[in-house]
């Protein structure tokens, strides 16, 4: 416990930007997640997709590169402390981004992300020279991660769609 408390004290003193890099499970937005989470492991155990792991400091993170989140809510319902709240799941702020390493952007035919997206959030625009550029509509994207887990190049990451301060 002593080690846990010292880690918390250390992290509380870190700039807010450091926390923003982590994709916390659905229901974490709008709460003081690091204050409320006791690292009890209930959310990781509850996730039927097995996509919740721990960051280097022991707090849960969703690894969308391994499998999509179905937004089933099992993690938030299992949380005993309010760090995750089922009523806040709609505030999921993450949306997909395509990186420059994308195969299609580099002249290799690939449409895996488009084929995987149930929401048709990814379309391709033909460019001169035969390249096809993926265009991702962040207003349609749900941040589910289906594209990220399927991408053969690991070219899809996630960033905030909604500034944290407005949640
Ligand atoms: S909402 Fe469901 S699939 Fe998504 S991280 Fe939580 S338990 Fe896993
Ligand atoms: S699946 Fe990955 S590599 Fe293929 S087009 Fe989409 S982002 Fe590019
Ligand atoms: S995160 Fe989900 S909704 Fe968004 S582009 Fe990828 S597959 Fe489509």
């Amino acid at each position: 416990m002593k080690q846990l408390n010292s880690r918390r004290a250390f992290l509380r003193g870190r700039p807010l930007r450091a926390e923003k890099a982590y994709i916390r499970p659905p229901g974490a937005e709008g709460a003081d997640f690091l204050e409320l989470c006791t690292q009890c492991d209930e959310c990781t155990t509850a996730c039927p997709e097995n996509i919740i792991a721990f960051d280097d400091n022991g707090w849960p993170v969703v690894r969308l590169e391994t499998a999509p989140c179905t937004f089933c809510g099992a993690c938030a319902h299992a949380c005993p402390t309010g760090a995750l709240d089922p009523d806040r799941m709609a505030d999921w702020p993450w949306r997909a981004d395509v990186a420059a390493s994308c195969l299609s952007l580099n002249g290799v035919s690939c449409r895996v992300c488009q084929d995987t997206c149930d929401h048709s959030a990814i379309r391709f625009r033909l460019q001169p020279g035969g390249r096809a550029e993926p265009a991702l509509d962040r207003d349609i994207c749900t941040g589910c991660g289906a594209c990220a887990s399927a991408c053969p190049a690991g070219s899809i990451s996630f960033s905030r769609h909604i500034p944290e301060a407005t949640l």
Side-chain angles (χ1 to χ4, degrees):
M1 181 59 83
K2 186 177 176 188
Q3 187 185 10
L4 176 62
N5 288 338
S6 65
R7 280 203 303 255
R8 282 190 177 143
F10 171 68
L11 282 172
R12 270 200 294 270
R14 287 168 64 177
L16 194 57
R17 187 179 301 179
E19 162 62 8
K20 287 186 178 180
Y22 296 105
I23 300 178
R24 303 300 180 196
E29 293 297 318
D32 194 342
F33 181 78
L34 298 185
E35 285 292 331
L36 294 171
C37 175
T38 60
Q39 305 184 340
C40 69
D41 201 21
E42 295 289 338
C43 59
T44 56
T45 305
C47 178
E49 308 303 322
N50 202 23
I51 57 173
I52 304 178
F54 296 102
D55 66 22
D56 290 343
N57 293 297
W59 275 284
V61 285
V62 177
R63 299 184 66 236
L64 294 175
E65 70 275 20
T66 59
C69 174
T70 63
F71 303 110
C72 67
C75 52
H77 284 285
C79 177
T81 70
L84 304 179
D85 183 343
D87 291 339
R88 293 196 304 265
M89 285 186 54
D91 294 335
W92 181 252
W94 302 100
R95 298 294 183 267
D97 297 307
V98 177
S101 60
C102 162
L103 298 177
S104 192
L105 285 176
N106 291 281
V108 178
S109 179
C110 179
R111 297 287 189 281
V112 169
C113 53
Q114 182 182 49
D115 295 343
T116 311
C117 180
D118 287 341
H119 304 278
S120 301
I122 304 175
R123 299 184 183 280
F124 283 80
R125 289 190 291 241
L126 287 178
Q127 303 293 313
R131 285 190 325 125
E133 184 180 295
L136 202 149
D137 189 332
R138 287 165 69 90
D139 290 331
I140 298 175
C141 173
T142 64
C144 69
C147 55
S149 56
C151 175
S155 299
I156 294 182
S157 60
F158 293 84
S159 60
R160 283 183 175 272
H161 174 63
I162 306 166
E164 191 169 36
T166 68
L167 293 173

